[in-house]
Amino acid sequence: MEQELNHPPSLKNPFISCLFCRYRGFTLFLTFLFYTAYHLSRKPISIVKSELHRNCSTVIRPADLNITDNATWCDWAPFGESVTELFETQDHLVSYFFGIFGERLPLRYYLSAGMLLSGLFTCLFGFGYYWNIHSIWYYGFVQAMNGLMQTTGWPAVVACVGNWFGKGKRGFIMGVWNSHTSVGNILGSLIAGVFVSSAWGMSFIVPGIIIASTGILCFFFLVEKPEDVNCTPPQHHVSYIHVPGVVEFSLCLLFAKLVSYTFLYWLPLYISNVAHFEAKEAGDMSTLFDVGGIMGGIMAGLVSDYTGGRATTCGVMLLAAAPMLFLYNYIGQRSIGTTIGMLLLCGGLVNGPYALITTAVSADLGTHESLRGNARALSTVTAIIDGTGSIGAALGPLLAGLISPSGWNNVFYMLISADVLACLFLSRLVYKEVKGWCGRAPRQRG
C-alpha cells in the first residue's frame, strides 16, 4: 500500500517543521491575494458594459442635444454590444505562450511584472473616461495588452502552491485556496458597481491600483519554493488509481470554462434584463453565483481527497449542473428567495469542477512521477490545461452575444450542452477510477 508523504523526512525536526509551515502558510495567503487581485481587475467590464451600451429609449434625452440615432445616442462611443463582447474574449487566447514562458523565468519577477503591468493597462482603460477618449484603437490596444498581462497569473500561482504542498490534502487545500477566483469576482463586482452609474472610469482605476499594489507585495515578499529558504520540498506521490489525463481534463475544462465565463460576463446583464434590476443591483445579485462557487470548489476538493476520484467528482457535479441551469432559466426569477437559492446552487455546481481541474488536478499532473521531479514543468502543464480552457472562456461570452438576440432560452441550451460535453470528455477517466475502487474491494469467499 502506497504511503502519502506531505512533509519530507527532514521536517521531523520541530524547528524546521515550524519554519516550513510558516513559509507555506504565508505563500498560500500571498498567492490567494494575488489571484484575487487578478480576478478583481478582470470583472469591471462585465459590470460597466450595461453603462457603455445602454437602452437609450429609457433614458431622458437632454433638450439641447442634437442626435441622429435614437437607439445609441446615450452610448459611450465607440462601444456597442459587439465591441464589448470582443473585449471580453481578448483576455483568454494567449495562456499557452505565457504559461510556458513563465516556466523559464523566476516566478516572483514574472508575477510582479504581470500584476504591475495589468494594473497599468486596467487604469488606462478607466482614464479613457476622464480623457474623453472615443477611439476603438485606444481601448482595443489597452484591453489586448491587459489580456496578455492577465495570463501571467494562473500558471505561476499554481506552480508556487504546487512547490509547497504534497498531494495528501491537495484537493481540500486548493479547493479553499481557489475561492480567490470567486472572492475576486465578488469584490470586483462590488467595487465597479459603486462607480458604474456616476463615473465608470473609476470602476477600472480602483481595481488597477489594487492589482498593481499586490505586484509590489509579490516582489518583496513571495518565496516561490522551499529551497529558497533552506527547506526541503515536499515529496509528490500519485495514487495508483489516478491516471494522468491531460487531454481529457483539458477538453473538459474548455467546456466548463465556457459555461463559467459566460456567467462571469453575462449574468449581470441577464439579471438586469429578466428581473429588471438596475446595473448596480444586478451586479450585486450576480455575486451570489460566485459565493456558490466558493462552496462548490471547497466541496469538490473535500470529496475528491476522500475518494481519490478527481474525474468522478467533476463528472457528477457537471452532470448535476445541466438540469439546474435549465431550472434556473425557467423558475430562477420567480421570487427573490428562488433567485438566491438557484444562483448559489448553480454557482457551486458550475464552478466546483472548474476549480478542481485548474488547481488540484493541474498540480497532480504537473508533479507526476513521469516528469522526474521537474517542478518547473508544473507551470507548463497548468498552462496547457488552462490554456485549452481559455478557448472556452473566450468562446462562451462571444457565443452568448451572438445567440442572445434570439432569446435567453437558447443561451441556456448552449450552456447545458457544454456541461454535458464536459462530462462526456471525462468518461474514460471516470471509468478507470470506478474500476480502481472496485479492484480494491475485498473479495467474497466461497
Side-chain angles (χ1 to χ4, degrees), residues 72-125:
T72 63
W73 71 267
C74 65
D75 289 352
W76 182 278
F79 291 98
E81 187 171 1
S82 59
V83 175
T84 52
E85 290 161 13
L86 176 63
F87 285 171
E88 287 166 359
T89 66
Q90 287 182 353
D91 295 18
H92 313 295
L93 298 177
V94 288
S95 293
Y96 287 109
F97 172 76
F98 273 86
I100 296 171
F101 188 60
E103 177 188 342
R104 292 159 174 78
L105 291 175
L107 295 178
R108 181 165 63 92
Y109 299 149
Y110 180 67
L111 272 171
S112 299
M115 285 187 279
L116 285 168
L117 289 172
S118 182
L120 170 65
F121 290 114
T122 302
C123 288
L124 285 174
F125 198 102

Side-chain angles (χ1 to χ4, degrees), residues 32 35-44 46-47 178-194 207 210 264 267-268 280 282-295 343-344 347 351:
F32 181 95
Y35 211 68
T36 295
Y38 271 100
H39 259 262
L40 182 151
S41 63
R42 190 181 298 175
K43 184 67 176 179
S46 67
I47 303 299
N178 192 67
S179 63
H180 51 44
T181 299
S182 296
V183 171
N185 290 341
I186 292 169
L187 293 176
S189 296
L190 295 176
I191 292 171
V194 171
I210 291 173
L264 174 68
L267 184 58
K280 183 182 183 304
D284 292 346
M285 182 65 72
S286 70
T287 62
L288 292 171
F289 185 84
D290 292 298
V291 173
I294 295 174
M295 297 185 289
L343 281 173
L344 291 172
N351 284 343

Side-chain angles (χ1 to χ4, degrees), residues 261-299:
Y261 272 72
T262 301
F263 273 95
L264 174 68
Y265 288 118
W266 282 90
L267 184 58
L269 186 63
Y270 171 76
I271 294 174
S272 179
N273 287 351
V274 176
H276 308 293
F277 282 34
E278 294 296 326
K280 183 182 183 304
E281 295 170 341
D284 292 346
M285 182 65 72
S286 70
T287 62
L288 292 171
F289 185 84
D290 292 298
V291 173
I294 295 174
M295 297 185 289
I298 295 172
M299 184 60 65

